Amino acid sequence: MVVLGLLVVTASAQVPLASTGGGDPWPSVRFLLTLVAVTATWRVLAWRARTATAEHLVWRMFSWGCLLHGIGAVSGAAFTAVPALRTHADLPGAVCAVLTFPLAYRALVRWSRRGAGVDPDDLLNGTSSVLVVAAALGLLVTPGAGAGRLLVPVPWTVQLLVLQNACLLVLLGAALTAAFTARLHRDARVWLVFAALVLAGAGGAAALLGGGTHPAWELPLWTAGLTALAGAAVLRSRFEPTQTSDPVKSTVGSFLVVSAGLATTTAGLVTGAPVALALCALLGVLGSSVRLLVNLFALAQLAVSRREALTDDLTGIANRRALLRHLDALVLQRRPGDRSGGPAPGVQVLVFDLDHFKEVNDSLGHGAGDALLQMLTQRIAPELPAAAVFARLGGDEFVVVSDDGSPGERVLAVLEGAQREPFPVGGISVHTDLSVGRATWTASGPHADGEGGQRADAALLLRRADSAMYDAKRTGASVVTFDPARHGDTQGLLSTVAELRHAITAGQLRVHFQPQLHAGDRTLAGVEALVRWQHPVRGLLAPAQFLPLAETHGLMDAVTREVLRQSVAQQALWRRRGLPVRVSVNLSAGTLLDVSLPTTVAALLAHHDVPATSLVLEVTETALLREPERSLAVVEAVRALGVQASIDDFGTGYSSLTQLRQLPVSELKLDRSFTADLLSDPRVAAIVAHTVGLAHALRLRVVAEGVEDEATLAALTGLGCDETQGFLHARPLPAREFEAWYATRYGAVTAAGRSGATTPAG
């Protein structure tokens, strides 16, 4: 098609053409050349519109515009061939050229926005621009004051040429806008479209300047313009379109049109130009003013949207996006050799969250949790230094960034003061503690782990403070400063947490069972369920390798519930096989405070048809005493189901005898630290003896953990301990290995036994 267009241009140049005012010896040839050029170009544009992806609407509008413009050109050529219509040969082309403007303008605007939509106000601004430019051109071709105040001082042919050239100039401006403001200046297609407009409109411009007479070279240039347009459609761009729509640019354009329109109106009034020109310019000013108001409203909305995009919806402080921007700016200023910065003590980041915030949500509802976060923010924000930035990362995790003007110690004092007084939430007073992690960026930059770059510095600094905060939660410290020796592998830590989160739902957690034997006759009393993680790469992981992470990252409740589910299911399977063994499951502190736990336990027991008395839930003294009212209520509700409760690691906490008397438990488990020193320390032996006596007086069963030799077992038996558990009997075993251990040790299963236990065969 392009080659055909070039042939048309060559042929056109060889045909002797006369001006419109004289006779044309080749009217039929001119008509045919025009028809061929228009048809060829339209077919190429239509093909591009069908095959284009992101720009198909652009080329579709170009093709429609080309077709409409071609209809005018072909009609004009036909008029030339008819002597009676020859004097009106300019009419179809000029009218169609003006009607083509909306299509071509919208195509260029959409192109300049690289795929963004085009709204009606864009066309309003373009039409207003045409009116103002037409008024300005009218001043050049209209007689001066001597013409009086006539509305139509020149022939209609000149008026059409003025309007046609005004449309051309606005389209050229739109093409240049697409080339430069939209960063398309490296795209050859834009320049081909620009050239097409220049070539196709050159004849009309010459006719306007020449008093309405069209030059002989108009048709070759017009055909060359069509060829350039077809060439733009054939070329493929190397630049991917992006969504861009900046109201600032269109606002500037509207302001320029308004200014030009007012200047044209003033010039027309001063020179005594016809009223029509002033009205035309004022109409353009009115249209652009409407567009300007729309743009100003859009800018106001954009400002609000940007502010909201950098603000946390719940608390009204900065969000993560705003925080990272601020960190980027601070880190950039502290780079060595940076002109805007210089040697500085550094930027300090403090990350903190609320201890046991999940328990507030679970017990009082998310509305109460949101209210707590809002009150905490309102208590902290006014007290922070003006130079500090306070942001919420999400959930109950917050960040304070302080630079040289706001020392970290002052910020820490504010955080310390914020947690002294309770918060009135849900009709009760809630005390909360904050775990704080601190990291500092100095002029040398935090590149210990090989990360670099401005964004890497900001993200790394935040991650280090986050790692220190989780260490504070794990150790119980109020503030922990990042130490590369202790927290160096922050990325690996977070990766492990993500893997653990997946492992809970992917069935990677495994439950092993450690036997508990009666101290006197060594019959099986029950088993304790202990969790392991079957990591797909690292193999079987012990609890110490992942439970601290689960605790500090809020995953402990999910782990506990998964262990409870697997334990009850395995217990049901054993009962069907003739082994009605008692199973003990450890409860985390968070699970113990969950008021829905009794319902969950009841549903599990009913689903698997397991008697409640064969399940023991172990809790630590620390967990019970963290929030005594709630935890005791949960334990009592579980006990009401018939489930037994046990105090795990007894002796390591700080419970009083009064509290022990009030706890609704049926079992005490002596911590392994007492068992290990029983034979070597008389004071430990005395403590164990008195503990056993106290437990029996309260009608509690005593289980000793960590039994590893016969001498320790004998001593515990002599002191009256009821049951023992440890490596002497067996290590924690998978379900199948436990069954094999039981079969080897006891043989056949009998119905006799105590507390749901079995006795040795024979």
Side-chain angles (χ1 to χ4, degrees):
M1 292 297 179
V2 177
V3 174
L4 180 60
L6 292 174
L7 293 176
V8 170
V9 173
T10 304
S12 300
Q14 305 303 318
V15 176
L17 299 173
S19 66
T20 304
D24 190 349
W26 299 93
S28 299
V29 175
R30 181 173 184 173
F31 173 80
L32 290 175
L33 291 175
T34 304
L35 181 61
V36 170
V38 168
T39 303
T41 306
W42 173 72
R43 290 294 300 272
V44 172
L45 295 176
W47 165 77
R48 172 53 65 201
R50 289 193 306 269
T51 58
T53 53
E55 296 177 349
H56 67 280
L57 290 179
V58 172
W59 293 106
R60 183 179 301 172
M61 285 185 280
F62 273 142
S63 66
W64 290 344
C66 175
L67 182 61
L68 184 59
H69 186 71
I71 290 174
V74 171
S75 300
F79 277 27
T80 304
V82 180
L85 300 176
R86 190 167 296 171
T87 56
H88 302 287
D90 289 338
L91 181 61
V95 172
C96 287
V98 173
L99 295 178
T100 301
F101 170 79
L103 295 170
Y105 182 79
R106 289 178 71 103
L108 289 171
V109 170
R110 186 176 184 88
W111 209 3
S112 68
R113 294 189 175 184
R114 307 296 297 275
V118 180
D119 59 77
D121 294 323
D122 292 320
L123 187 57
L124 174 63
N125 203 42
T127 304
S128 302
S129 302
V130 169
L131 293 175
V132 171
V133 173
L137 291 177
L139 290 177
L140 299 176
V141 299
T142 300
R149 311 299 293 174
L150 297 177
L151 293 178
V152 186
V154 294
W156 62 266
T157 54
V158 177
Q159 295 179 28
L160 280 177
L161 283 174
V162 167
L163 191 58
Q164 180 179 348
N165 281 276
C167 292
L168 174 64
L169 291 176
V170 174
L171 290 178
L172 289 175
L176 290 177
T177 300
F180 291 104
T181 63
R183 299 179 181 179
L184 285 173
H185 57 279
R186 294 181 296 170
D187 194 337
R189 300 176 305 161
V190 175
W191 296 112
L192 283 174
V193 171
F194 183 82
L197 293 172
V198 172
L199 293 171
L208 179 63
L209 296 176
T213 302
H214 289 267
W217 44 261
E218 179 179 9
L219 180 59
L221 288 186
W222 179 81
T223 312
L226 292 182
T227 305
L229 184 60
V234 171
L235 291 179
R236 292 188 177 273
S237 175
R238 295 174 297 141
F239 308 100
E240 291 294 330
T242 55
Q243 296 285 338
T244 59
S245 180
D246 189 357
V248 176
K249 296 176 182 178
S250 57
T251 301
V252 173
S254 299
F255 178 77
L256 292 177
V257 174
V258 170
S259 301
L262 292 176
T264 301
T265 302
T266 303
L269 295 176
V270 170
T271 59
V275 177
L277 295 181
L279 292 177
C280 184
L282 286 176
L283 190 59
V285 169
L286 178 62
S288 285
S289 298
V290 172
R291 176 58 171 160
L292 186 61
L293 292 176
V294 172
N295 287 346
L296 292 177
F297 178 77
L299 287 173
Q301 293 295 108
L302 180 61
V304 173
S305 299
R306 288 178 175 174
R307 183 171 64 252
E308 291 177 349
L310 300 175
T311 303
D312 179 61
D313 293 336
L314 178 64
T315 61
I317 61 177
N319 60 12
R320 180 185 290 270
R321 184 181 295 107
L323 173 71
L324 289 177
R325 286 188 182 181
H326 181 70
L327 274 176
D328 286 342
L330 288 180
V331 169
L332 183 62
Q333 292 175 4
R334 299 315 192 262
R335 287 189 177 280
D338 180 47
R339 295 180 181 178
S340 63
V347 178
Q348 189 166 234
V349 175
L350 296 100
V351 177
F352 67 90
D353 74 352
L354 285 70
D355 296 340
H356 316 303
F357 177 72
K358 182 179 182 299
E359 299 163 10
V360 175
N361 271 338
D362 292 342
S363 59
L364 302 178
H366 290 280
D370 291 345
L372 175 59
L373 297 179
Q374 291 172 336
M375 286 187 285
L376 178 68
T377 303
Q378 295 166 3
R379 189 176 291 184
I380 292 176
E383 304 299 325
L384 290 174
V389 172
F390 187 25
R392 179 180 176 225
L393 291 181
D396 64 324
E397 193 168 354
F398 294 85
V399 178
V400 179
V401 178
S402 60
D403 56 13
D404 314 326
S406 54
E409 288 69 22
R410 180 178 173 186
V411 176
L412 287 175
V414 172
L415 300 182
E416 176 65 26
Q419 54 186 319
R420 289 175 185 164
E421 298 296 327
F423 296 89
V425 177
I428 64 174
S429 295
V430 175
H431 292 265
T432 183
D433 295 324
L434 305 180
S435 296
V436 184
R438 176 166 55 181
T440 302
W441 192 92
T442 60
S444 59
H447 300 293
D449 56 1
E451 296 189 52
Q454 176 185 347
R455 170 62 67 177
D457 284 338
L460 178 60
L461 185 62
L462 188 61
R463 191 164 66 244
R464 288 183 169 182
D466 198 53
S467 177
M469 185 267 291
Y470 280 118
D471 189 31
K473 294 181 71 69
R474 182 169 54 250
T475 59
S478 57
V479 181
V480 171
T481 301
F482 177 81
D483 181 1
R486 293 172 53 197
H487 315 116
D489 187 20
T490 56
Q491 187 170 3
L493 176 67
L494 296 179
S495 176
T496 302
V497 172
E499 291 175 349
L500 177 57
R501 193 182 305 274
H502 172 72
I504 297 172
T505 58
Q508 295 178 8
L509 296 186
R510 302 286 187 267
V511 177
H512 289 193
F513 301 91
Q514 187 171 33
Q516 298 171 332
L517 305 186
H518 292 290
D521 55 13
R522 302 194 186 187
T523 55
L524 182 65
V527 294
E528 181 181 4
L530 300 169
V531 67
R532 303 289 187 266
W533 179 8
Q534 187 64 55
H535 194 280
V537 177
R538 299 164 60 187
L540 191 66
L541 301 183
Q545 294 177 272
F546 64 92
L547 286 187
L549 292 178
E551 183 70 37
T552 56
H553 288 77
L555 300 176
M556 198 61 198
D557 181 61
V559 172
T560 301
R561 289 179 178 273
E562 176 62 16
V563 173
L564 182 61
R565 185 192 66 79
Q566 292 190 33
S567 299
V568 175
Q570 184 61 53
Q571 188 178 21
L573 180 60
W574 281 333
R575 292 183 65 84
R576 290 195 296 271
R577 293 179 179 177
L579 183 60
V581 63
R582 186 189 71 208
V583 177
S584 299
V585 179
N586 292 280
L587 292 185
S588 65
T591 307
L592 183 60
L593 295 174
D594 188 352
V595 294
S596 67
L597 176 65
T599 303
T600 301
V601 172
L604 276 174
L605 295 174
H607 177 73
H608 293 285
D609 193 22
V610 172
T613 54
S614 65
L615 178 64
V616 180
L617 299 180
E618 299 184 3
V619 296
T620 63
E621 295 173 273
T622 304
L624 279 170
L625 300 178
R626 178 174 295 174
E627 293 189 33
E629 293 182 3
R630 286 183 56 195
S631 59
L632 288 177
V634 172
V635 173
E636 288 174 351
V638 170
R639 287 280 292 166
L641 300 174
V643 176
Q644 303 181 58
S646 171
I647 298 181
D648 194 16
D649 300 333
F650 184 79
T652 59
Y654 301 95
S655 59
S656 67
L657 297 180
T658 301
Q659 292 167 332
L660 181 60
R661 179 178 60 85
Q662 296 175 344
L663 295 177
V665 297
S666 57
E667 178 184 278
L668 294 183
K669 295 193 72 174
L670 286 175
D671 185 68
R672 63 183 64 250
S673 60
F674 293 102
T675 306
D677 297 331
L678 180 64
L679 300 179
S680 59
D681 191 338
R683 292 176 299 178
V684 171
I687 292 174
V688 172
H690 285 83
T691 300
V692 171
L694 175 63
H696 288 167
L698 296 175
R699 298 182 180 180
L700 302 180
R701 183 173 62 247
V702 179
V703 181
E705 296 182 295
V707 179
E708 299 184 0
D709 54 70
E710 291 287 350
T712 303
L713 175 60
L716 289 169
T717 303
L719 292 174
C721 187
D722 299 295
E723 299 173 6
T724 58
Q725 174 182 345
F727 289 171
L728 174 64
H729 308 314
R731 293 178 177 273
L733 302 169
R736 289 185 179 275
E737 294 184 19
F738 169 76
E739 293 171 7
W741 172 88
Y742 180 86
T744 301
R745 189 178 184 96
Y746 299 120
V749 178
T750 67
R754 293 168 294 181
S755 301
T758 58
T759 60

